[in-house]
Amino acid sequence: EAGVVQSPRYKIIEKKQPVAFWCNPISGHNTLYWYLQNLGQGPELLIRYENEEAVDDSQLPKDRFSAERLKGVDSTLKIQPAELGDSAVYLCASSSNRGSGANVLTFGAGSRLTVL
Amino acid sequence: AQSVTQLDSHVSVSEGTPVLLRCNYSSSYSPSLFWYVQHPNKGLQLLLKYTSAATLVKGINGFEAEFKKSETSFHLTKPSAHMSDAAEYFCVVSATSGTYKYIFGTGTRLKVLA
């Protein structure tokens, strides 16, 4: 079984430029999460999807961040324009509400963003 | 409301000695608790989970954790540290009320000395 796939793994951009991250969750996982992880800290939730519906986006800075999961499978997180403080690792995770692994988060390797 | 506190930001042990990483939690509901490990430049990997079954939970790579409701703790232990255990460890709490909100601790960096 393929795990959660994220791309790109690394991205370096100038401030004020746009950037997008892509995530393909585990097949059959209906819930998808985007987390932000700053250096030396634990992940913090940005947005959670149940299928194609964003059910928790309270921590997403909506002035510059946007996300979509149009067909309830893969998802894209966008930042426009990027700021220096956005330098961090963006983690995608997915989970299922069925089976022995229900409600256990499986993470991708992350996308490390550096804003210059 | 839920919260989780990892009591040590850094822990150093010698190879072959026991590991103890401490975690206290707060939850308004019966919690689910998890430990994840993150090796450098890698994603988070599940070590073990507690979901209201046995209070002593065994995970991968020889790790285990004990849920103590009276102490609101979920400490992670391993009898004998290996060099490959050096990583960042995160304690996570989630309410079982169906909100699927996972709160991560700030992490404990484990260093294993040869």
Side-chain angles (χ1 to χ4, degrees), chain A residues 9-10 33 35 37 40-43 48 50 56 91 97 100-105 107-109 112, chain B residues 34 36 38 41-46 49 88 90 92 98-107 109:
Chain A
R9 285 294 315 277
Y10 304 92
Y33 309 75
Y35 282 88
Q37 186 177 24
Q41 297 184 24
R48 173 170 67 93
E50 293 289 342
D56 185 354
L91 294 166
N97 57 6
S100 60
N103 304 324
V104 173
L105 299 179
F107 283 87
R112 181 179 297 273
Chain B
F34 309 81
Y36 281 82
Q38 186 176 34
N41 299 315
K42 298 288 179 63
L44 285 85
Q45 179 186 17
L46 179 69
K49 64 177 180 178
E88 188 90 19
F90 292 96
V92 184
T99 61
Y100 308 123
K101 181 160 271 190
Y102 299 83
I103 306 298
F104 284 75
T106 51
R109 182 165 296 278

Short mmCIF file of all heavy atoms in Angstrom, two decimals, chain A residues 9-10 33 35 37 40-43 48 50 56 91 97 100-105 107-109 112, chain B residues 34 36 38 41-46 49 88 90 92 98-107 109:
data_model
loop_
_atom_site.label_atom_id
_atom_site.label_comp_id
_atom_site.label_asym_id
_atom_site.label_seq_id
_atom_site.Cartn_x
_atom_site.Cartn_y
_atom_site.Cartn_z
N ARG A 9 9.17 18.00 -2.21
CA ARG A 9 9.75 17.78 -0.90
C ARG A 9 10.40 19.05 -0.38
O ARG A 9 10.38 19.33 0.80
CB ARG A 9 10.80 16.68 -0.95
CG ARG A 9 10.25 15.27 -1.06
CD ARG A 9 9.48 14.84 0.20
NE ARG A 9 10.14 15.17 1.45
CZ ARG A 9 11.08 14.44 2.03
NH1 ARG A 9 11.50 13.34 1.45
NH2 ARG A 9 11.61 14.81 3.19
N TYR A 10 10.99 19.81 -1.28
CA TYR A 10 11.66 21.05 -0.91
C TYR A 10 11.30 22.14 -1.93
O TYR A 10 11.20 21.86 -3.12
CB TYR A 10 13.19 20.87 -0.89
CG TYR A 10 13.65 19.76 0.01
CD1 TYR A 10 13.82 18.46 -0.47
CD2 TYR A 10 13.89 20.00 1.36
CE1 TYR A 10 14.23 17.44 0.37
CE2 TYR A 10 14.30 18.97 2.20
CZ TYR A 10 14.46 17.69 1.69
OH TYR A 10 14.86 16.68 2.52
N TYR A 33 -5.72 15.98 6.23
CA TYR A 33 -5.29 17.09 7.07
C TYR A 33 -4.06 17.76 6.46
O TYR A 33 -3.18 17.08 5.94
CB TYR A 33 -4.87 16.59 8.46
CG TYR A 33 -5.85 15.70 9.18
CD1 TYR A 33 -6.04 14.37 8.81
CD2 TYR A 33 -6.56 16.18 10.28
CE1 TYR A 33 -6.93 13.55 9.49
CE2 TYR A 33 -7.43 15.36 10.98
CZ TYR A 33 -7.62 14.04 10.58
OH TYR A 33 -8.48 13.23 11.27
N TYR A 35 -1.05 20.12 8.02
CA TYR A 35 -0.45 20.65 9.24
C TYR A 35 0.74 21.53 8.88
O TYR A 35 1.44 21.31 7.89
CB TYR A 35 0.06 19.51 10.14
CG TYR A 35 -1.00 18.81 10.94
CD1 TYR A 35 -1.68 17.71 10.41
CD2 TYR A 35 -1.31 19.22 12.23
CE1 TYR A 35 -2.65 17.05 11.16
CE2 TYR A 35 -2.27 18.56 12.98
CZ TYR A 35 -2.94 17.48 12.44
OH TYR A 35 -3.89 16.83 13.18
N GLN A 37 4.39 22.72 10.47
CA GLN A 37 5.35 22.42 11.53
C GLN A 37 6.51 23.39 11.44
O GLN A 37 7.33 23.34 10.52
CB GLN A 37 5.86 20.98 11.43
CG GLN A 37 6.76 20.60 12.60
CD GLN A 37 7.22 19.17 12.58
OE1 GLN A 37 7.26 18.53 11.53
NE2 GLN A 37 7.55 18.63 13.74
N GLY A 40 11.42 22.93 15.49
CA GLY A 40 11.46 22.69 16.92
C GLY A 40 10.11 22.67 17.60
O GLY A 40 10.04 22.69 18.84
N GLN A 41 9.04 22.61 16.81
CA GLN A 41 7.70 22.60 17.38
C GLN A 41 6.89 21.43 16.85
O GLN A 41 7.27 20.78 15.88
CB GLN A 41 7.00 23.92 17.06
CG GLN A 41 7.68 25.13 17.68
CD GLN A 41 6.91 26.40 17.41
OE1 GLN A 41 5.70 26.37 17.18
NE2 GLN A 41 7.59 27.53 17.45
N GLY A 42 5.77 21.17 17.50
CA GLY A 42 4.87 20.14 17.03
C GLY A 42 3.99 20.64 15.90
O GLY A 42 3.82 21.85 15.72
N PRO A 43 3.43 19.73 15.13
CA PRO A 43 2.54 20.14 14.03
C PRO A 43 1.29 20.85 14.56
O PRO A 43 0.76 20.50 15.61
CB PRO A 43 2.17 18.81 13.38
CG PRO A 43 3.25 17.86 13.77
CD PRO A 43 3.66 18.29 15.13
N ARG A 48 -8.76 20.64 7.87
CA ARG A 48 -9.16 19.23 7.83
C ARG A 48 -10.33 19.07 6.86
O ARG A 48 -11.29 19.84 6.91
CB ARG A 48 -9.56 18.73 9.21
CG ARG A 48 -10.14 17.32 9.20
CD ARG A 48 -10.28 16.77 10.62
NE ARG A 48 -11.28 17.48 11.42
CZ ARG A 48 -12.56 17.12 11.52
NH1 ARG A 48 -13.00 16.08 10.82
NH2 ARG A 48 -13.37 17.80 12.28
N GLU A 50 -13.22 16.35 5.31
CA GLU A 50 -13.96 15.10 5.30
C GLU A 50 -14.46 14.95 3.86
O GLU A 50 -15.34 15.69 3.42
CB GLU A 50 -15.13 15.12 6.27
CG GLU A 50 -14.74 15.18 7.73
CD GLU A 50 -14.12 13.89 8.24
OE1 GLU A 50 -14.29 12.84 7.58
OE2 GLU A 50 -13.45 13.94 9.28
N ASP A 56 -12.90 21.88 9.13
CA ASP A 56 -12.20 22.67 10.15
C ASP A 56 -11.10 23.45 9.46
O ASP A 56 -10.05 22.88 9.16
CB ASP A 56 -11.65 21.78 11.26
CG ASP A 56 -11.02 22.60 12.40
OD1 ASP A 56 -10.91 23.84 12.28
OD2 ASP A 56 -10.64 22.00 13.41
N LEU A 91 2.94 19.53 6.38
CA LEU A 91 2.69 18.10 6.46
C LEU A 91 1.26 17.78 6.06
O LEU A 91 0.33 18.47 6.47
CB LEU A 91 2.91 17.59 7.89
CG LEU A 91 4.33 17.66 8.44
CD1 LEU A 91 4.31 17.46 9.94
CD2 LEU A 91 5.21 16.63 7.79
N ASN A 97 -12.15 6.35 8.88
CA ASN A 97 -13.01 6.17 10.05
C ASN A 97 -13.50 4.73 10.17
O ASN A 97 -14.45 4.44 10.89
CB ASN A 97 -14.19 7.13 10.02
CG ASN A 97 -15.03 6.99 8.75
OD1 ASN A 97 -14.79 6.10 7.94
ND2 ASN A 97 -16.01 7.86 8.59
N SER A 100 -9.35 -1.34 11.72
CA SER A 100 -8.48 -1.36 12.89
C SER A 100 -7.63 -0.11 12.99
O SER A 100 -7.19 0.28 14.07
CB SER A 100 -7.58 -2.59 12.87
OG SER A 100 -6.77 -2.58 11.70
N GLY A 101 -7.39 0.54 11.89
CA GLY A 101 -6.59 1.76 11.89
C GLY A 101 -7.43 3.02 11.90
O GLY A 101 -6.94 4.10 11.55
N ALA A 102 -8.67 2.89 12.33
CA ALA A 102 -9.59 4.03 12.28
C ALA A 102 -9.06 5.18 13.13
O ALA A 102 -8.56 4.99 14.25
CB ALA A 102 -10.96 3.62 12.80
N ASN A 103 -9.15 6.37 12.54
CA ASN A 103 -8.79 7.61 13.24
C ASN A 103 -7.34 7.68 13.67
O ASN A 103 -7.01 8.36 14.63
CB ASN A 103 -9.73 7.82 14.43
CG ASN A 103 -11.18 7.82 13.98
OD1 ASN A 103 -11.51 8.31 12.92
ND2 ASN A 103 -12.04 7.22 14.80
N VAL A 104 -6.49 6.97 12.98
CA VAL A 104 -5.05 7.06 13.19
C VAL A 104 -4.47 7.84 12.02
O VAL A 104 -4.71 7.52 10.87
CB VAL A 104 -4.39 5.68 13.27
CG1 VAL A 104 -2.88 5.82 13.32
CG2 VAL A 104 -4.91 4.93 14.48
N LEU A 105 -3.72 8.89 12.33
CA LEU A 105 -3.15 9.73 11.28
C LEU A 105 -1.94 9.05 10.66
O LEU A 105 -1.05 8.57 11.37
CB LEU A 105 -2.69 11.07 11.87
CG LEU A 105 -3.75 11.95 12.51
CD1 LEU A 105 -3.11 13.23 13.05
CD2 LEU A 105 -4.85 12.27 11.54
N PHE A 107 1.09 10.11 8.07
CA PHE A 107 1.67 11.34 7.53
C PHE A 107 2.50 11.08 6.28
O PHE A 107 3.13 10.01 6.13
CB PHE A 107 2.60 11.97 8.58
CG PHE A 107 1.87 12.69 9.66
CD1 PHE A 107 1.44 12.02 10.79
CD2 PHE A 107 1.61 14.05 9.57
CE1 PHE A 107 0.75 12.68 11.79
CE2 PHE A 107 0.94 14.73 10.56
CZ PHE A 107 0.50 14.04 11.68
N GLY A 108 2.55 12.09 5.44
CA GLY A 108 3.51 12.12 4.35
C GLY A 108 4.85 12.62 4.87
O GLY A 108 4.99 12.99 6.04
N ALA A 109 5.84 12.67 3.97
CA ALA A 109 7.19 13.07 4.36
C ALA A 109 7.31 14.58 4.55
O ALA A 109 8.29 15.06 5.14
CB ALA A 109 8.20 12.60 3.32
N ARG A 112 9.12 20.98 2.64
CA ARG A 112 9.86 22.02 3.38
C ARG A 112 9.94 23.28 2.53
O ARG A 112 10.49 23.26 1.43
CB ARG A 112 11.26 21.54 3.73
CG ARG A 112 12.07 22.58 4.53
CD ARG A 112 13.43 22.07 4.90
NE ARG A 112 13.34 20.92 5.77
CZ ARG A 112 13.23 20.98 7.08
NH1 ARG A 112 13.20 22.15 7.69
NH2 ARG A 112 13.17 19.87 7.81
N PHE B 34 -1.61 9.01 21.50
CA PHE B 34 -0.68 8.46 20.52
C PHE B 34 0.73 8.96 20.82
O PHE B 34 0.92 10.03 21.39
CB PHE B 34 -1.04 8.93 19.09
CG PHE B 34 -2.48 8.73 18.70
CD1 PHE B 34 -3.45 9.62 19.11
CD2 PHE B 34 -2.85 7.67 17.90
CE1 PHE B 34 -4.78 9.46 18.75
CE2 PHE B 34 -4.18 7.49 17.52
CZ PHE B 34 -5.14 8.39 17.94
N TYR B 36 4.13 9.53 18.34
CA TYR B 36 4.71 9.49 17.00
C TYR B 36 6.20 9.78 17.11
O TYR B 36 6.64 10.52 18.01
CB TYR B 36 4.08 10.56 16.10
CG TYR B 36 2.72 10.19 15.54
CD1 TYR B 36 1.57 10.36 16.29
CD2 TYR B 36 2.60 9.67 14.25
CE1 TYR B 36 0.32 10.02 15.77
CE2 TYR B 36 1.37 9.33 13.71
CZ TYR B 36 0.23 9.51 14.48
OH TYR B 36 -0.99 9.17 13.95
N GLN B 38 9.63 11.13 14.79
CA GLN B 38 10.02 11.82 13.55
C GLN B 38 11.54 11.83 13.46
O GLN B 38 12.21 12.49 14.25
CB GLN B 38 9.47 13.26 13.53
CG GLN B 38 9.73 13.98 12.21
CD GLN B 38 9.08 15.36 12.19
OE1 GLN B 38 9.00 16.03 13.20
NE2 GLN B 38 8.61 15.78 11.01
N ASN B 41 14.25 15.01 8.69
CA ASN B 41 13.79 15.15 7.31
C ASN B 41 12.83 14.05 6.88
O ASN B 41 12.73 13.72 5.70
CB ASN B 41 14.98 15.20 6.34
CG ASN B 41 15.87 16.39 6.63
OD1 ASN B 41 15.39 17.49 6.83
ND2 ASN B 41 17.16 16.14 6.70
N LYS B 42 12.15 13.47 7.84
CA LYS B 42 11.15 12.44 7.54
C LYS B 42 9.79 12.85 8.11
O LYS B 42 9.70 13.74 8.96
CB LYS B 42 11.57 11.09 8.15
CG LYS B 42 12.88 10.53 7.63
CD LYS B 42 12.72 10.03 6.22
CE LYS B 42 14.01 9.48 5.64
NZ LYS B 42 14.52 8.32 6.36
N GLY B 43 8.74 12.17 7.63
CA GLY B 43 7.42 12.40 8.20
C GLY B 43 7.27 11.72 9.55
O GLY B 43 8.17 11.02 10.01
N LEU B 44 6.15 11.93 10.17
CA LEU B 44 5.89 11.33 11.48
C LEU B 44 5.39 9.90 11.30
O LEU B 44 4.53 9.63 10.47
CB LEU B 44 4.85 12.14 12.25
CG LEU B 44 5.33 13.45 12.83
CD1 LEU B 44 5.25 14.57 11.80
CD2 LEU B 44 4.52 13.82 14.07
N GLN B 45 5.90 9.01 12.15
CA GLN B 45 5.53 7.60 12.11
C GLN B 45 4.88 7.22 13.41
O GLN B 45 5.40 7.54 14.49
CB GLN B 45 6.77 6.74 11.86
CG GLN B 45 6.48 5.25 11.82
CD GLN B 45 7.73 4.41 11.71
OE1 GLN B 45 8.85 4.87 11.98
NE2 GLN B 45 7.59 3.17 11.33
N LEU B 46 3.76 6.52 13.34
CA LEU B 46 3.06 6.09 14.55
C LEU B 46 3.87 5.03 15.29
O LEU B 46 4.26 4.02 14.71
CB LEU B 46 1.69 5.53 14.19
CG LEU B 46 0.85 5.02 15.35
CD1 LEU B 46 0.39 6.19 16.23
CD2 LEU B 46 -0.35 4.23 14.85
N LYS B 49 -0.66 3.53 20.04
CA LYS B 49 -1.88 4.30 20.32
C LYS B 49 -2.64 3.67 21.47
O LYS B 49 -2.61 2.45 21.68
CB LYS B 49 -2.77 4.36 19.08
CG LYS B 49 -3.30 2.99 18.66
CD LYS B 49 -4.24 3.10 17.46
CE LYS B 49 -4.75 1.70 17.07
NZ LYS B 49 -5.71 1.75 15.95
N GLU B 88 12.95 12.81 17.16
CA GLU B 88 12.00 13.66 17.88
C GLU B 88 10.74 12.84 18.13
O GLU B 88 10.26 12.15 17.22
CB GLU B 88 11.65 14.89 17.04
CG GLU B 88 10.83 15.95 17.75
CD GLU B 88 11.70 16.98 18.45
OE1 GLU B 88 12.88 17.10 18.10
OE2 GLU B 88 11.18 17.67 19.35
N PHE B 90 6.70 12.82 19.58
CA PHE B 90 5.55 13.67 19.83
C PHE B 90 4.43 12.86 20.50
O PHE B 90 4.05 11.80 20.01
CB PHE B 90 5.01 14.27 18.53
CG PHE B 90 5.95 15.26 17.90
CD1 PHE B 90 6.81 14.87 16.90
CD2 PHE B 90 5.97 16.58 18.32
CE1 PHE B 90 7.68 15.77 16.31
CE2 PHE B 90 6.84 17.50 17.75
CZ PHE B 90 7.69 17.09 16.74
N VAL B 92 0.44 12.87 21.41
CA VAL B 92 -0.74 13.45 20.75
C VAL B 92 -1.99 13.00 21.49
O VAL B 92 -2.13 11.82 21.83
CB VAL B 92 -0.82 13.00 19.28
CG1 VAL B 92 -1.98 13.69 18.58
CG2 VAL B 92 0.49 13.25 18.56
N GLY B 98 -15.55 12.29 18.52
CA GLY B 98 -15.83 12.35 17.10
C GLY B 98 -15.39 13.61 16.42
O GLY B 98 -15.66 13.81 15.24
N THR B 99 -14.71 14.49 17.14
CA THR B 99 -14.28 15.73 16.50
C THR B 99 -13.02 15.53 15.67
O THR B 99 -12.69 16.35 14.84
CB THR B 99 -13.98 16.81 17.55
OG1 THR B 99 -12.91 16.36 18.39
CG2 THR B 99 -15.19 17.11 18.39
N TYR B 100 -12.31 14.45 15.95
CA TYR B 100 -11.08 14.13 15.22
C TYR B 100 -10.10 15.28 15.25
O TYR B 100 -9.42 15.55 14.26
CB TYR B 100 -11.41 13.72 13.78
CG TYR B 100 -12.46 12.65 13.72
CD1 TYR B 100 -13.63 12.82 13.02
CD2 TYR B 100 -12.28 11.45 14.42
CE1 TYR B 100 -14.60 11.83 12.98
CE2 TYR B 100 -13.25 10.47 14.40
CZ TYR B 100 -14.41 10.66 13.68
OH TYR B 100 -15.36 9.70 13.66
N LYS B 101 -10.02 15.98 16.36
CA LYS B 101 -9.05 17.04 16.51
C LYS B 101 -7.87 16.47 17.29
O LYS B 101 -8.03 15.97 18.39
CB LYS B 101 -9.66 18.22 17.25
CG LYS B 101 -8.73 19.40 17.45
CD LYS B 101 -9.48 20.67 17.74
CE LYS B 101 -9.82 21.38 16.45
NZ LYS B 101 -10.34 22.74 16.64
N TYR B 102 -6.71 16.53 16.69
CA TYR B 102 -5.50 15.97 17.28
C TYR B 102 -4.62 17.12 17.75
O TYR B 102 -4.26 17.99 16.96
CB TYR B 102 -4.75 15.12 16.26
CG TYR B 102 -5.55 13.93 15.76
CD1 TYR B 102 -6.48 14.08 14.73
CD2 TYR B 102 -5.39 12.68 16.33
CE1 TYR B 102 -7.23 13.01 14.29
CE2 TYR B 102 -6.13 11.59 15.88
CZ TYR B 102 -7.04 11.77 14.86
OH TYR B 102 -7.78 10.70 14.43
N ILE B 103 -4.24 17.08 19.03
CA ILE B 103 -3.39 18.11 19.60
C ILE B 103 -2.02 17.50 19.85
O ILE B 103 -1.91 16.49 20.56
CB ILE B 103 -3.96 18.67 20.91
CG1 ILE B 103 -5.40 19.15 20.70
CG2 ILE B 103 -3.08 19.80 21.44
CD1 ILE B 103 -5.55 20.27 19.71
N PHE B 104 -0.99 18.13 19.28
CA PHE B 104 0.37 17.62 19.40
C PHE B 104 1.12 18.34 20.51
O PHE B 104 0.95 19.56 20.71
CB PHE B 104 1.13 17.86 18.09
CG PHE B 104 0.77 16.90 17.00
CD1 PHE B 104 -0.43 17.01 16.32
CD2 PHE B 104 1.63 15.88 16.65
CE1 PHE B 104 -0.78 16.11 15.32
CE2 PHE B 104 1.30 14.98 15.65
CZ PHE B 104 0.10 15.10 14.98
N GLY B 105 1.95 17.60 21.22
CA GLY B 105 2.88 18.22 22.14
C GLY B 105 4.00 18.90 21.38
O GLY B 105 4.08 18.80 20.15
N THR B 106 4.86 19.58 22.10
CA THR B 106 5.95 20.33 21.47
C THR B 106 7.14 19.45 21.12
O THR B 106 8.08 19.92 20.49
CB THR B 106 6.41 21.47 22.38
OG1 THR B 106 6.68 20.94 23.68
CG2 THR B 106 5.35 22.55 22.49
N GLY B 107 7.10 18.20 21.53
CA GLY B 107 8.14 17.27 21.12
C GLY B 107 9.25 17.11 22.16
O GLY B 107 9.54 18.01 22.94
N ARG B 109 13.22 15.72 22.05
CA ARG B 109 14.32 15.23 21.22
C ARG B 109 15.14 14.25 22.02
O ARG B 109 15.69 14.59 23.08
CB ARG B 109 15.19 16.38 20.74
CG ARG B 109 16.33 15.93 19.83
CD ARG B 109 16.96 17.07 19.08
NE ARG B 109 16.03 17.70 18.15
CZ ARG B 109 15.75 17.25 16.92
NH1 ARG B 109 16.35 16.16 16.48
NH2 ARG B 109 14.92 17.89 16.14
#
